[in-house]
Amino acid sequence: MGTRGRGRVADRPADRSAAGVTAGPAAGPAARPAGRPDAGGPADAEVAIPVRGRADRRRTARRAARRRRRSLLRELPLIVLVALLVALVMKTFLVQVFVIPSGSMEQTIQIGDRVLVDKFTPWFGAEPERGDVVVFKDPGGWLESDHQPSTDGPVLRGAKQVLTFVGLLPSDSEQDLIKRVIGVGGDTVECCDDQGRVSVNGTPIDESYLAVGNPPSRQPFKVKVPQGRLWVMGDHRDVSADSRFHMGNPGQGTIPLSGVVGRAFTIVWPVSRINQLDVPSSLSKLGKAPQARGPAADSPGAGPVPMEPPLVMGVLGILPLVGRRPGRRPA
């Protein structure tokens, strides 16, 4: 009986070892589970992860900040180049903002307003229609020509020329105006009837957009608009140097379609004046213009020509909004 009892007690450690159970440090480091540096005794101090101090963290953060700055400096030229290319494409093909320097389009457009001009749809053959507000190049002799000499140095002048080319700065050389289309090719535009109104192809038009106190025209005229040209007038008739004052020029005061930059379709600044430039129903409901036959009819001469400044240069349009037709700068 004693022998069997002693034998069972002696066998116990062997059984525990065979079952993979270890006891104490005798099992050695190899017996500790992987990934558990804290699962043992005194040997754990040898594999403890050091704790970084605040100074080390600050040094690491400063090094990361320096790397970010160096990366930005390397990428900055590419960012500027891409931005300039985007600005150039938008100014050339999509939309452009123009600043109004005169009161020739009051009360519709005020001095200092920014208008967004659609330069996109003309690429698909769209042409200005009666009632559209268009920006166009000076056909010759419409604008003041006195320019102050530049006092900029060669470096600043070159930088301004680059920014002007892409549409980020106003141009001192471009001569653009803004007016409303009253007649298109083939139309006969006349003023005034018994009630003092302008008529197009014999139909009087209601011009509710005119500046307060302005009659449709203080001078009589009658002209047949040649094909490929437009008869344009300002909404502030008393101060607008429009087609009426240039009937002695080639085209009898009309402007060529090729000179139209785009159609102004909305006021975008100031915020209080944001508004869409709609076509008056009195002009939009007129029928199709008759086909021109023979030379344009003679028109009476015009009086003194009021002078007005060109539109303050075109600035890049931010939003690629699309209107209906062409136009470019206001004056």
Side-chain angles (χ1 to χ4, degrees):
M1 225 179 122
T3 303
R4 282 200 299 269
R6 282 194 301 271
R8 279 197 290 271
V9 173
D11 290 341
R12 287 174 188 167
D15 294 339
R16 293 178 62 193
S17 178
V21 179
T22 58
R32 284 198 294 269
R36 293 282 305 278
D38 57 342
D44 293 341
E46 300 176 3
V47 294
I49 298 176
V51 178
R52 297 176 59 193
R54 181 179 300 176
D56 289 336
R57 292 196 298 271
R58 288 178 177 174
R59 282 194 293 271
T60 302
R62 285 196 294 269
R63 284 196 295 268
R66 285 195 294 270
R67 284 196 296 268
R68 286 194 296 269
R69 285 195 294 270
R70 287 195 295 267
S71 176
L72 178 61
L73 290 176
R74 287 194 296 268
E75 295 174 0
L76 186 60
L78 179 60
I79 294 173
V80 171
L81 178 60
V82 171
L84 291 176
L85 289 175
V86 170
L88 179 60
V89 170
M90 289 188 66
K91 176 198 130 177
T92 305
F93 301 105
L94 301 178
V95 293
Q96 192 169 3
V97 175
F98 290 95
V99 185
I100 308 301
S102 77
S104 68
M105 283 299 294
E106 294 173 338
Q107 58 189 4
T108 305
I109 306 174
Q110 306 291 333
I111 297 175
D113 284 355
R114 271 69 168 168
V115 296
L116 198 58
V117 174
D118 166 29
K119 303 171 72 175
F120 180 70
T121 52
W123 290 90
F124 297 92
E127 294 183 355
E129 297 179 358
R130 303 183 196 97
D132 284 343
V133 176
V134 296
V135 175
F136 58 95
K137 295 180 180 296
D138 181 3
W142 285 45
L143 291 172
E144 299 173 355
S145 58
D146 54 328
H147 293 290
Q148 298 296 326
S150 174
T151 58
D152 298 331
V155 176
L156 181 58
R157 186 165 55 250
K160 284 185 175 181
Q161 288 174 348
V162 172
L163 295 177
T164 297
F165 177 71
V166 298
L168 295 177
L169 277 183
S171 170
D172 294 328
S173 59
E174 293 185 12
Q175 300 287 283
D176 300 324
L177 303 100
I178 186 168
K179 305 293 178 194
R180 187 182 298 276
V181 177
I182 303 298
V184 297
D187 283 342
T188 297
V189 185
E190 183 178 3
C191 189
C192 304
D193 66 3
D194 295 340
Q195 300 181 36
R197 297 172 298 182
V198 171
S199 63
V200 178
N201 301 325
T203 302
I205 57 176
D206 177 21
E207 299 186 280
S208 58
Y209 45 78
L210 294 183
V212 177
N214 276 207
S217 181
R218 295 188 186 276
Q219 69 175 77
F221 63 87
K222 181 178 182 179
V223 64
K224 190 164 188 175
V225 183
Q227 292 294 334
R229 303 184 74 89
L230 304 170
W231 177 269
V232 296
M233 301 174 72
D235 290 356
H236 195 168
R237 297 286 161 81
D238 283 349
V239 301
S240 178
D242 51 38
S243 291
R244 298 169 295 162
F245 295 92
H246 301 282
M247 288 188 291
N249 296 358
Q252 296 183 293
T254 60
I255 64 168
L257 284 174
S258 60
V260 174
V261 176
R263 185 183 71 90
F265 62 96
T266 188
I267 299 172
V268 294
W269 188 263
V271 174
S272 60
R273 287 190 43 76
I274 293 177
N275 187 34
Q276 187 171 345
L277 299 174
D278 295 322
V279 176
S281 60
S282 61
L283 286 165
S284 63
K285 69 182 181 182
L286 293 175
K288 186 177 180 180
Q291 294 297 317
R293 296 178 182 176
D298 293 335
S299 301
V305 178
M307 299 302 291
E308 53 183 297
L311 300 186
V312 174
M313 163 162 187
V315 182
L316 174 68
I318 299 175
L319 300 176
L321 303 178
V322 176
R324 294 175 313 161
R325 301 171 195 75
R328 185 174 173 179
R329 240 190 182 187

